Amino acid sequence: MSLTRTAIHRFRYIYRTISPPPPSPITDRFLSHHPIPKPFQFHFSFYSSSSSLKQESVNGGDDVYPTGDFNFVPVTGFNKFAVKLKTLIALPWERIQHGSVLKIILRGQISDQLNSRFSRVLSLPRICDNLLKAAYDPRISAVYLHIDILNCGWGKIDEIRRQVLNFRKSGKFVVAYVPSCREKEYYIACACEEIYVPPSAYFSLFGLTVQAGFVRGVLDNLGIEPQVEKFGKYKSAGEQLTRKTMSEDNREMLTTLLDNIYSNWLDKVSSARGKKREDIENFINEGVYQVDRLKEEGFISSILYDDEVMTRLKERLQVNTNKNLPIVDFRKYSGVRKWTVGISGGKELIAVIRASGTIRRVESPLSAPSKGIIGEKFIEKIRRVRESNKFKAAIIRIDSPGGDALASDLMWREIRLLAASKPVIASMSDLAASGGYYMAMGAGVIVAESLTLTGSIGVVAGKFNLGKLYEKIGFNKEIISRGKYAELLAAEQRSFRPHEAELFAKSAQNIYKQFRDKAAFSRSMTVDKMEEVAQGRVWTGTDAASHGLVDAIGGLSRAIAIAKLKANIPQDRQVTVVELSRPSPSLPEILSGLGNSLVGVDQTLKELLHDLTFSDGVQARMDGIMFQKLEGYPSANPILALMKDYLSSM
């Protein structure tokens, strides 16, 4: 299928950054065992020989790459006149009153995918897009952020905060109204010029927690014995099934992750509020919940209801108190084209391929078409970009805890082949762990947010022994087989026999070694060095960069700047960023999903059990970790959250 027949959405960016390109060496030892086509070898040889810089990129040398920082360039002269003319002749749904305030409600889940108008889930690309347009739109005077309880990771939170600060570079202002606030919501609010809360606001800055749920006790009560092989001492995805308590290795890893997130929060908040870090920490440890104390201590600007904030906005924008303040909502403003406000792209095209959710090799018959990463579909997009001469570079945008190890490997291969013909940059969102990292390491450069959860280079495989459960319910199963290992996965009514257990363990270990060795090759490390940072351990983006798993810290804007650098496009030249992922879900998919939920309950439960037993192959996935107040609601039950994670991956 040609690119002209696909639903392509263009997003244009303006960046002005300059930095020389780093080298990208190749490991000859790995090539001898994993031959790559000659164009691929030539591609990386070209980068190595053309750079005069010291080799450092895989050792956490972040400063050699352009930052991708947004520089607001005021529209003047004829361009200013042209923008005014465009707004006058704009399509009816793009017409907005001058002096309008853009209102954005940040609440609940935020998707890294492009969402259609039928979706009620907020889309990170559209949030960023609207804030960029508003910065240049002469009709928009300010942004009014309603921030409520958010359910997403810290990678997206950092990106939103960055976009709010970018908007303020235009000279316009942003105010936040926060009726219910915890650490994550306050983190974004601190980027605003003013923070308002109602007198009855739920404000709970009490600190952060991390928890891991364990279902072994539940399985024992049901008569189910989990038989799991995991490789990597920090690989926690199997522990939730086999243990009743947290292992010391898992505790060490989670403690480090929590310390990094909490430390980052303290640093950013103290800097934004002009306070000492110790003062912020002491305030949190007091357990303050009274909003008047928040105002006294300078944590908020004032205590006002929403209508009172609107009155303040009228006064600031010099709107007559008898008139309504012109407000444009997020959904309506999403229909305004960048062209209308004078943001134009360049001739060079950079493709963005988004990969969000749990990884599957093929699409499940009953799963919604938009759910997760389907290996076959992702590979089709990669090949279209590789075969097209239109694109100068590609960005793989990843937000995934991993999944099927085979699918991850097949996608890794295609990403490597794409990198043979043009620069490929991986950009990580909240998660790029296990299979998500497997994909990322196929790119020439990896960019992560400082608090992206990544790494988790390890695998897990297993099945359930349902023998005791079958006895309880009076069910019996007999198998007739031919072949020594024919019953390896078929006989769920009994435990592995010794020879079966040995083969099962060796098979999973072989896949772990392939994952680890390819990671070492991709990151130009020795296997022994990679083993030190693998073992299934999850890292934050900053720590991953210091250990050579990530090249640069930043968001999509930095990935685009690096892509321009690699494609020899001047940093001050505009490019057109082409989103290859279609908005989702569509109306037919919503109706399809509704039907599934009504008539497919039995099959859904079967698929859930199928996922839990990993029976379709070894899994490279990160599961079982929930950051309370970070990625879920504080009252969430960890076992229910675990089940929800598996259900949402279908």
Side-chain angles (χ1 to χ4, degrees):
M1 183 183 295
S2 66
L3 284 172
T4 57
R5 294 174 58 193
T6 62
I8 294 178
H9 301 264
R10 296 170 183 257
F11 288 76
R12 298 171 173 86
Y13 299 80
I14 302 174
Y15 302 101
R16 295 176 183 271
T17 50
I18 300 175
S19 185
S24 183
I26 258 183
T27 304
D28 294 333
R29 178 194 61 78
F30 194 91
L31 281 175
S32 64
H33 298 285
H34 299 76
I36 305 292
K38 289 183 179 180
F40 179 86
Q41 299 180 38
F42 173 79
H43 177 74
F44 278 83
S45 174
F46 169 80
Y47 276 122
S48 296
S49 62
S50 64
S51 175
S52 60
L53 292 177
K54 186 185 297 183
Q55 289 189 3
E56 54 65 60
S57 61
V58 296
N59 298 319
D62 179 71
D63 57 340
V64 301
Y65 295 107
T67 63
D69 288 344
F70 174 78
N71 292 320
F72 180 78
V73 181
V75 180
T76 58
F78 177 78
N79 290 334
K80 186 174 182 179
F81 170 77
V83 170
K84 287 184 177 180
L85 181 62
K86 289 176 182 179
T87 56
L88 287 174
I89 64 173
L91 297 170
W93 54 85
E94 294 185 283
R95 293 174 186 171
I96 296 169
Q97 184 177 339
H98 277 270
S100 292
V101 174
L102 172 61
K103 181 179 179 180
I104 302 176
I105 299 176
L106 296 177
R107 179 192 298 134
Q109 184 181 354
I110 297 178
S111 169
D112 204 70
Q113 291 285 91
L114 285 167
N115 290 338
S116 74
R117 63 180 181 272
F118 297 109
S119 175
R120 301 185 64 174
V121 177
L122 278 172
S123 166
L124 180 64
R126 297 207 186 279
I127 293 172
C128 299
D129 191 40
N130 278 1
L131 287 171
L132 174 63
K133 290 184 297 186
Y136 284 95
D137 194 336
R139 303 168 299 176
I140 299 294
S141 299
V143 168
Y144 185 25
L145 278 185
H146 269 228
I147 308 174
D148 214 326
I149 300 303
L150 291 165
N151 185 19
C152 64
W154 283 94
K156 296 188 184 76
I157 295 297
D158 258 332
E159 184 67 67
I160 294 172
R161 188 176 188 275
R162 182 183 299 115
Q163 295 299 325
V164 170
L165 293 173
N166 286 346
F167 173 83
R168 292 182 60 182
K169 292 179 181 179
S170 66
K172 303 175 184 179
F173 65 93
V174 186
V175 299
Y177 179 72
V178 195
S180 184
C181 184
R182 302 180 310 202
E183 288 75 14
K184 196 170 10 178
E185 295 74 31
Y186 190 70
Y187 188 77
I188 294 177
C190 281
C192 302
E193 188 173 324
E194 297 171 357
I195 304 174
Y196 298 108
V197 303
S200 55
Y202 294 130
F203 227 96
S204 56
L205 300 182
F206 300 148
L208 306 175
T209 65
V210 60
Q211 57 184 265
F214 301 90
V215 297
R216 179 59 190 265
V218 177
L219 298 179
D220 287 346
N221 290 334
L222 294 174
I224 299 174
E225 177 194 2
Q227 295 187 285
V228 176
E229 290 289 343
K230 68 183 185 72
F231 291 91
K233 66 178 183 177
Y234 296 101
K235 195 68 179 176
S236 61
E239 285 189 1
Q240 58 194 328
L241 301 175
T242 60
R243 294 180 60 93
K244 296 181 179 180
T245 59
M246 192 181 296
S247 68
E248 289 305 312
D249 292 326
N250 192 19
R251 186 179 302 276
E252 174 196 345
M253 178 184 72
L254 294 181
T255 299
T256 300
L257 291 174
L258 185 59
D259 285 343
N260 288 344
I261 294 171
Y262 188 48
S263 179
N264 177 82
W265 189 89
L266 290 172
D267 288 341
K268 293 290 180 65
V269 169
S270 60
S271 175
R273 304 309 296 174
K275 296 178 177 291
K276 294 181 180 178
R277 176 185 164 122
E278 307 83 66
D279 294 337
I280 300 291
E281 194 163 16
N282 291 336
F283 185 83
I284 284 180
N285 291 334
E286 285 186 43
V288 176
Y289 58 89
Q290 306 96 326
V291 292
D292 54 342
R293 280 286 310 279
L294 295 168
K295 186 176 185 302
E296 291 173 9
E297 299 289 341
F299 281 82
I300 61 175
S301 304
S302 189
I303 303 172
L304 299 173
Y305 285 105
D306 178 50
D307 63 291
E308 295 174 309
V309 178
M310 300 292 279
T311 300
R312 285 276 184 98
L313 289 173
K314 285 183 181 181
E315 294 172 356
R316 183 160 182 178
L317 296 174
Q318 299 180 343
V319 176
N320 193 309
T321 55
N322 296 325
K323 294 184 178 180
N324 292 327
L325 181 68
I327 295 286
V328 55
D329 66 27
F330 180 84
R331 186 182 296 270
K332 175 178 174 62
Y333 198 67
S334 295
V336 176
R337 295 166 296 169
K338 286 191 175 76
W339 176 87
T340 303
V341 297
I343 302 175
S344 60
K347 294 181 179 179
E348 288 91 352
L349 306 183
I350 295 178
V352 173
I353 305 173
R354 294 184 182 269
S356 297
T358 303
I359 297 171
R360 291 177 177 269
R361 188 167 55 89
V362 296
E363 193 168 39
S364 173
L366 282 179
S367 63
S370 303
K371 292 291 184 181
I373 304 167
I374 307 302
E376 289 183 346
K377 292 187 175 181
F378 181 85
I379 287 173
E380 287 178 5
K381 294 176 184 177
I382 291 289
R383 288 177 177 173
R384 289 205 304 267
V385 174
R386 191 175 81 221
E387 293 165 1
S388 173
N389 294 323
K390 297 179 180 179
F391 299 107
K392 300 298 181 183
I395 294 171
I396 312 298
R397 176 72 174 177
I398 303 171
D399 188 22
S400 171
D404 186 286
L406 172 57
S408 302
D409 183 59
L410 297 178
M411 291 187 292
W412 172 84
R413 171 68 177 187
E414 293 296 331
I415 293 171
R416 298 295 285 184
L417 291 175
L418 175 60
S421 60
K422 57 195 67 179
V424 179
I425 314 299
S427 173
M428 297 177 170
S429 184
D430 288 341
L431 292 167
S434 293
Y437 184 78
Y438 207 132
M439 296 172 63
M441 69 190 193
V445 179
I446 300 176
V447 182
E449 294 284 1
S450 59
L451 296 181
T452 295
L453 298 183
T454 188
S456 192
I457 300 169
V459 300
V460 60
K463 75 161 190 171
F464 285 153
N465 171 15
L466 305 178
K468 292 183 179 179
L469 175 63
Y470 285 174
E471 288 180 12
K472 287 183 178 182
I473 62 176
F475 178 77
N476 183 42
K477 179 177 181 178
E478 295 184 8
I479 300 176
I480 300 174
S481 62
R482 294 292 182 273
K484 184 177 180 180
Y485 298 102
E487 298 181 17
L488 182 68
L489 296 177
E492 79 278 0
Q493 80 281 11
R494 61 170 174 80
S495 298
F496 282 128
R497 291 167 181 153
H499 68 282
E500 292 173 332
E502 181 181 4
L503 177 64
F504 192 78
K506 287 181 178 179
S507 174
Q509 185 178 36
N510 179 61
I511 293 178
Y512 169 68
K513 288 181 178 179
Q514 288 186 38
F515 188 177
R516 180 201 60 195
D517 290 355
K518 288 179 180 178
F521 159 64
S522 300
R523 303 304 299 162
S524 299
M525 291 184 188
T526 64
V527 172
D528 290 341
K529 181 67 175 177
M530 178 55 68
E531 182 71 11
E532 295 176 8
V533 296
Q535 293 287 327
R537 180 154 188 167
V538 180
W539 305 92
T540 60
T542 300
D543 282 351
S546 67
H547 288 92
L549 297 177
V550 165
D551 297 300
I553 300 299
L556 185 61
S557 60
R558 189 164 200 191
I560 293 170
I562 295 173
K564 290 167 67 174
L565 173 70
K566 292 287 189 177
N568 297 317
I569 301 172
Q571 292 297 310
D572 59 354
R573 184 181 300 173
Q574 299 176 28
V575 296
T576 298
V577 177
V578 181
E579 294 269 2
L580 294 186
S581 301
R582 60 192 175 93
S584 60
S586 65
L587 183 57
E589 289 166 0
I590 290 177
L591 296 177
S592 173
L594 179 62
N596 293 342
S597 66
L598 294 176
V599 302
V601 175
D602 180 63
Q603 184 63 32
T604 299
L605 292 176
K606 289 180 180 179
E607 289 193 17
L608 171 60
L609 182 62
H610 185 268
D611 277 350
L612 287 170
T613 57
F614 318 116
S615 60
D616 61 343
V618 178
Q619 299 285 300
R621 65 193 296 162
M622 184 195 76
D623 279 333
I625 300 175
M626 185 177 74
F627 285 90
Q628 190 174 9
K629 300 188 180 181
L630 307 183
E631 295 173 10
Y633 292 93
S635 60
N637 183 298
I639 294 178
L640 294 179
L642 174 63
M643 294 299 148
K644 179 182 176 182
D645 287 343
Y646 278 112
L647 284 170
S648 66
S649 72
M650 296 189 299

